[in-house]
Amino acid sequence: NAGVMQNPRHLVRRRGQEARLRCSPMKGHSHVYWYRQLPEEGLKFMVYLQKENIIDESGMPKERFSAEFPKEGPSILRIQQVVRGDSAAYFCASSLLLQTNTGELFFGEGSRLTVL
Amino acid sequence: EDKVVQSPLSLVVHEGDTVTLNCSYEVTNFRSLLWYKQEKKAPTFLFMLTSSGIEKKSGRLSSILDKKELFSILNITATQTGDSAIYLCAVERRNAGNMLTFGGGTRLMVKP
């Protein structure tokens, strides 16, 4: 049973370009979360999605960032017109239930975005 | 706004030492506190704590929660170099799914 798969693992973009980060949740998981980790900081919640629905995007910057989780295929976090401050590790996590009794939220290995 | 503060920020010890990592929090409608270990890759789950005073234990790691004083500690006994990692504390609200609020982490280095 494959874990949460994220790609690309590393992405380099120049200012103004677009970044697309993909996340395939664990098999059978319908809840997907995106977190961002800036250098030397903890993880910050960005968005919570279920299939075809954005449930909570309270942690997403208002502009340039969007996320989707289509009926088929991976969840995608899209950052338009990237700036240097977007350089971070973006982690995807998935869970089977809305709130697990064990607290186990399964994280992917992250996508590290570097903006030149 | 929910807040999680971890201390110390970083810690260097020698193999065999015992360490205590601290996590204090402020959260509305608290449900649970979670500890994760992050090496170079994905954070991996360690413990979930929901009740005060009940110690959770896994091998050399243990953790306890104090809901009155709003803090938790993570203990690691007989540390090994493989324990070197960032230890993250997070809190979860009721009815908020897995939208966790994380602390900044404690970076632990265990020297041989």
Side-chain angles (χ1 to χ4, degrees):
Chain A
N1 187 15
V4 178
M5 304 299 292
Q6 289 189 247
N7 69 83
R9 293 290 311 281
H10 299 275
L11 182 64
V12 178
R13 284 287 178 266
R14 294 190 181 281
R15 280 180 296 171
Q17 291 184 319
E18 179 179 288
R20 281 188 183 229
L21 311 177
R22 287 175 290 277
C23 168
S24 296
M26 284 187 73
K27 187 176 180 181
H29 286 192
S30 60
H31 303 269
V32 166
Y33 308 81
W34 285 93
Y35 285 81
R36 175 164 66 174
Q37 187 173 35
L38 294 170
E40 307 301 320
E41 293 188 16
L43 283 78
K44 297 272 192 282
F45 166 76
M46 298 182 76
V47 61
Y48 161 39
L49 309 108
Q50 293 180 29
K51 285 284 186 182
E52 299 185 278
N53 285 304
I54 297 174
I55 307 301
D56 189 307
E57 55 183 349
S58 57
M60 289 272 272
K62 294 286 185 283
E63 297 176 347
R64 302 187 297 107
F65 284 71
S66 62
E68 62 176 7
F69 188 16
K71 188 176 178 182
E72 301 291 337
S75 175
I76 295 174
L77 180 67
R78 182 181 176 207
I79 312 171
Q80 295 177 288
Q81 299 175 313
V82 295
V83 300
R84 289 218 173 102
D86 297 333
S87 295
Y90 291 84
F91 287 93
C92 173
S94 74
S95 68
L96 181 61
L97 302 174
L98 176 61
Q99 283 196 305
T100 67
N101 289 325
T102 60
E104 287 204 61
L105 187 62
F106 294 90
F107 282 88
E109 295 194 346
S111 291
R112 277 158 180 81
L113 171 66
T114 301
V115 179
L116 300 177
Chain B
E1 186 179 325
D2 298 345
K3 190 174 174 185
V4 178
V5 179
Q6 291 185 245
S7 65
L9 290 179
S10 64
L11 193 55
V12 180
V13 300
H14 287 94
E15 275 192 314
D17 288 349
T18 293
V19 297
T20 298
L21 309 182
N22 304 294
C23 175
S24 63
Y25 64 90
E26 295 173 23
V27 61
T28 303
N29 209 10
F30 174 86
R31 179 177 187 254
S32 68
L33 183 143
L34 303 104
W35 285 96
Y36 288 83
K37 178 182 181 183
Q38 185 179 22
E39 295 172 87
K40 290 186 178 176
K41 299 178 180 178
T44 53
F45 171 79
L46 294 175
F47 297 112
M48 177 183 185
L49 302 154
T50 55
S51 300
S52 274
I54 298 175
E55 186 184 52
K56 291 273 182 99
K57 199 168 170 64
S58 176
R60 296 176 294 101
L61 277 67
S62 63
S63 184
I64 198 159
L65 174 68
D66 186 328
K67 288 168 75 173
K68 184 179 176 186
E69 300 297 330
L70 306 182
F71 78 90
S72 173
I73 59 171
L74 175 68
N75 278 320
I76 309 174
T77 58
T79 51
Q80 302 171 357
T81 54
D83 295 327
S84 296
I86 299 172
Y87 289 83
L88 298 168
C89 173
V91 293
E92 181 186 23
R93 287 187 179 195
R94 289 192 184 280
N95 304 316
N98 288 297
M99 294 174 286
L100 307 178
T101 299
F102 281 85
T106 293
R107 187 178 295 270
L108 173 65
M109 180 182 290
V110 181
K111 292 188 171 180

